[in-house]
Structures are given as structure tokens and as C-alpha cells.
Amino acid sequence: MKRIIRCTQLFILVFTLLGVMPTLAAPSVLSPTAILIDGASGIMLYGKAQTQKAYPASTTKVMTAILALENGNFDDKVTVSFQAVNSISFDSSKAGWYEGEIVSFKDLVYSLLICSANDSANVIAEHVAGSIDAFVEKMNIRAQELGATNTHFVNTHGLHNEDHYTTAEDMAKLARFAMQMPAFREIVSLRTYTIAPTNKSETPRHLDNTNHLLNPSHTYYYENAVGIKTGYTDSARSCLVSAAEANGGFYIAVVFGGTSETGQNASFVDSRALLSYGVEHCKPQKPVSAGSYISTVPVTGAKDCDSLPLYAATDVSYSLPPEANPADVEKKEYIKKDSTAPIDAGTALGRMEYWYGDTLVGQTLMLTKEPCEAQTFLQLLFSSTWFYVIVFLLFCFWVLVRICKAQAKRRRRRKRAEMRRRSQY
């Protein structure tokens, strides 16, 4: 009996300990505000005061670059104005443009993102919008359109202003959108860039990326890093928007307000910890691959079939928080209801969406693989229910007419017979 009691106590103790065992520890983040998101879906994988107001410093240039790439042309030649290069502090980060210097728009965007050139930000603004103020207005409008609703910009570069602010959550949204632009993604992954001589500079300008996560010879190097943008002012402290790719996953981290009190730059340490957490613990899910069967759509008027299989147009991939259950992702199917032959191969007849809570984490169009021919006239005729209804009604009408004629004929015969009988008397 005592043995049974001890075993029972041990059993209860084990399950009690299992019940209080902590889940996977989140990364240690020193910076006051930070976020990690899945770059594919935008779902938050980690957050720390991510909606708290923060000063973005030069990470502002993510928004500047979005507008530049949406509205400019790399082949454009731009003349640098006095206002663009002299409206910023002398000791801030610059590409070193001179008034009257003729530069390519491409060099402006590359220097903006690689060496965080404040003068390039202003030159871009004047070229795209006609003035710096007009460009800043566009920045705020576009930020709102991209979902950064707690963000307000007053300049193109991020030098401190009390009314120039954002949140880690908003900046992650802007960065995720920017990383979907091939040119942006390529630029922010570069370690160095060289600007050719211009009419005001006889020697090339060699630029080094300020993002130490990309530099293998630096203490903060992270082998999976692919960008994005640094920032620093005395008020904002150290800021970093970063990204990493590994094992089919794509992750974006934002860290604001980092310090260097321990001898290390907290923004780089925190960002590396966040990205590593995503890569190691937030494994990507791939519920469907491009070309795989998803669903079936009914088809009317088809020659040889009454339905068509539909296949995924693209891969669907997303990462979930470690504690999430992949089964919690809900599929929502939207199929065209009135699909009528003929239908060409590769026609989109629907869309499949994948939702984790209130977040759309993935979607793909559903395409046909084979063409579907329409029925011939006779096939269409003989396959129609109305055809048989009409035939039946015609047959009934014909039978009725025959009956009526037969009855009329019998009446005529009886009448003639009656007349003959009367004539005999």
C-alpha cells in the first residue's frame, strides 16, 4: 500500500513539474522597444513595447527609399542643389555631394541606404517631389497607406525632431514592404559600393555599409543577415532594422533605443539575438507548393467533364511563433462559382487564403492546368434538361393532337352513319 501511495505521489509530482516548466525562452533584448516578424506573412514572432513611440533616426531612410524606388529612375541625372546639401548639420553622415554636382539617381539611392547619406535623402526628395517639404508630405501619406498609422515624419533623413517618430511595429511593416522590392533588397544586402567620378569629384567614392551584421570581419557579424538599415542620434540612441534568411524562412527585426553602456552596441546584439531566435525556433511552414493540387471547381458547358482540378500558382510559406500550433492556421477558399467552358490552361478560377488568427499569413491563386473545351451544339443540346422537357411537351402535344383528331374522325363517322340511317326511312 505504501508503495502505491509513493508511486502516486511521484506521478503527481512529475506532472506538476511538467505543468510549471517554462516554455521556450524568448530572446533577451536590452533595447526598450523591439519586434521580430515573419518577413513572408508579417506575423509577429516577438514583441517588446512594439507599439511604443520611438525616434527612428536614419532608419527613416527605409521610407525615403520606398518613395525613391516607386517614383524615380536609376538612369536619371540629378543636379545637386545648395538647399539639399546645406540644410543638414555638417557633422552628420553624408555622401559628400557638392552644389552643382551631377549625379545618377542610382548613386543617390545606393548611398542613401549603404552609408546613410543625409544629403542624398534631400537630393532624392527634390528630384522626386520638387521640394523637400512636398516629399515629406508624400512620405506620411505613403506610410499611412502601408499600415504605419502611428508614424509621422518631418524630414527625409531622420535627424532628430520631437515630431518625427514611429514605432517598432510600424517600421517592421515598412521594412517588410520595402524588402519585397527587388532593388531595395539588393542594395541593403551589399557591404560596399563605389560611386564613379563626377563633374565635381575626380576620384571614386568608396562606401561601406554601416550595418555590421553584414561584415564577416566585424564582432557583430551574423551569417544569415541580408540587410537592412542602421540609425543613430543622441535622442534616438542606436536603432537597427535588420533581416535574415535561412532554411526557407525570412525574418525582419526592428530595435530602437539601444545603448552601448556595456561596451557593446545593444542594437546589433539585440538584432542578432532576435534574428537567431527566428531562424532557430520559428521554423517556416509550407502548407502548399507551386503546382500542387488544392481544390476542384464545377464547370458548366464542358465537352468531357463537369469539374476541373485547381493547382497552386505559388508556394505558400510562413513562420509561426514557437508556441503556435500549425493546425490553428485556417484555410479560406474562394472559388469562381459561374465557371463556364471553354476555359484555357493557366486560368485563375479561385484563391486560397491561410489565416492565423486575424492575420493573413499566406495566399495563392488557384489555376487550371489543362484546357477545358466547350460542348458542341448537339452535345449542349442533348445535355440540356430543357431539351428533354421540350421534347416531352412536344410529344404530349402530338399525342393530344392525335387523340383529338381520332375523336373528331369518330364523330364524323358516327354522324355519316346516322345520316345514312335517316335516309333509309
Side-chain angles (χ1 to χ4, degrees):
M1 188 67 181
K2 290 182 179 180
R3 184 177 296 176
I4 294 174
I5 293 174
R6 288 174 183 172
C7 288
T8 303
Q9 290 173 337
L10 179 62
F11 183 80
I12 294 172
L13 177 62
V14 169
F15 274 85
T16 302
L17 290 173
L18 288 174
V20 300
M21 283 180 65
T23 57
L24 178 67
S28 176
V29 175
L30 299 175
S31 300
T33 175
I35 192 172
L36 174 71
I37 67 168
D38 172 38
S41 66
I43 190 169
M44 187 175 74
L45 305 174
Y46 170 89
K48 178 183 178 182
Q50 68 275 6
T51 60
Q52 178 179 299
K53 176 181 173 180
Y55 300 121
S58 281
T59 63
T60 297
K61 297 182 176 85
V62 171
M63 185 69 250
T64 306
I66 290 173
L67 279 182
L69 293 172
E70 287 181 335
N71 297 278
N73 189 318
F74 274 179
D75 294 329
D76 288 351
K77 296 299 181 182
V78 183
T79 301
V80 177
S81 74
F82 175 87
Q83 172 69 13
V85 296
N86 288 282
S87 60
I88 52 178
S89 57
F90 177 78
D91 58 347
S92 68
S93 56
K94 297 180 179 181
W97 306 121
Y98 298 98
E99 179 187 356
E101 189 167 7
I102 300 174
V103 299
S104 72
F105 192 75
K106 177 181 179 180
D107 287 344
L108 290 170
V109 178
Y110 273 67
S111 59
L112 173 83
L113 293 171
I114 291 177
C115 73
S116 200
N118 294 331
D119 48 357
S120 293
N122 282 345
V123 177
I124 288 170
E126 291 182 341
H127 179 69
V128 167
S131 72
I132 295 172
D133 289 343
F135 186 86
V136 171
E137 184 178 353
K138 288 179 178 291
M139 289 172 67
N140 286 312
I141 293 172
R142 193 72 176 106
Q144 293 288 317
E145 292 172 349
L146 295 175
T149 55
N150 296 309
T151 294
H152 184 258
F153 300 115
V154 298
N155 59 54
T156 63
H157 37 66
L159 292 177
H160 184 68
N161 185 296
E162 290 292 327
D163 202 30
H164 187 98
Y165 57 84
T166 186
T167 67
E169 183 179 67
D170 276 8
M171 186 55 70
K173 293 176 182 178
L174 298 180
R176 177 172 173 254
F177 177 82
M179 289 296 277
Q180 295 171 12
M181 308 173 79
F184 182 96
R185 194 161 182 159
E186 177 187 348
I187 297 168
V188 298
S189 68
L190 295 176
R191 286 178 53 204
T192 62
Y193 181 71
T194 300
I195 297 174
T198 68
N199 64 316
K200 295 282 187 175
S201 175
E202 297 181 356
T203 59
R205 292 178 171 96
H206 300 289
L207 311 180
D208 292 318
N209 200 318
T210 55
N211 184 358
H212 300 318
L213 295 180
L214 301 173
N215 187 351
S217 63
H218 204 283
T219 306
Y220 301 128
Y221 174 67
Y222 181 54
E223 64 275 13
N224 297 316
V226 292
I228 298 176
K229 187 70 194 74
T230 59
Y232 180 87
T233 66
D234 290 341
S235 298
R237 309 302 294 169
S238 184
C239 305
L240 182 59
V241 181
S242 58
E245 282 183 315
N247 305 320
F250 175 47
Y251 310 92
I252 294 174
V254 178
V255 172
F256 287 146
T259 63
S260 303
E261 294 176 0
T262 62
Q264 288 189 309
N265 187 315
S267 67
F268 287 108
V269 175
D270 290 343
S271 297
R272 192 170 56 184
L274 287 169
L275 295 175
S276 296
Y277 175 77
V279 169
E280 295 170 11
H281 302 298
C282 306
K283 302 299 183 183
Q285 308 291 318
K286 193 174 182 181
V288 65
S289 300
S292 59
Y293 168 79
I294 295 187
S295 188
T296 300
V297 61
V299 179
T300 58
K303 182 177 181 181
D304 299 316
C305 63
D306 55 6
S307 64
L308 275 177
L310 297 177
Y311 302 86
T314 58
D315 292 344
V316 175
S317 179
Y318 48 80
S319 297
L320 299 176
E323 68 277 8
N325 185 345
D328 292 338
V329 176
E330 179 186 2
K331 293 193 297 184
K332 295 182 181 181
E333 183 179 274
Y334 302 92
I335 292 181
K336 187 178 180 182
K337 296 180 179 179
D338 54 347
S339 298
T340 305
I343 299 172
D344 295 329
T347 301
L349 294 180
R351 184 180 74 258
M352 184 69 81
E353 295 181 350
Y354 298 81
W355 289 81
Y356 180 68
D358 296 330
T359 303
L360 176 64
V361 295
Q363 62 179 324
T364 181
L365 292 176
M366 295 188 285
L367 310 178
T368 60
K369 274 191 177 179
E370 302 295 334
C372 180
E373 296 181 10
Q375 294 176 331
T376 63
F377 175 75
L378 290 178
Q379 286 176 321
L380 187 62
L381 183 65
F382 289 123
S383 66
S384 171
T385 302
W386 283 107
F387 171 74
Y388 292 102
V389 170
I390 292 171
V391 169
F392 175 74
L393 292 175
L394 289 174
F395 175 75
C396 292
F397 178 74
W398 177 79
V399 170
L400 181 63
V401 169
R402 297 284 294 180
I403 292 172
C404 291
K405 285 183 177 180
Q407 291 176 342
K409 188 174 182 180
R410 284 196 295 270
R411 286 195 297 269
R412 287 195 300 270
R413 285 177 180 177
R414 285 196 297 268
K415 188 175 181 179
R416 284 196 298 268
E418 182 66 24
M419 292 177 66
R420 283 196 298 270
R421 284 194 300 270
R422 289 179 179 180
S423 64
Q424 291 176 356
Y425 295 100

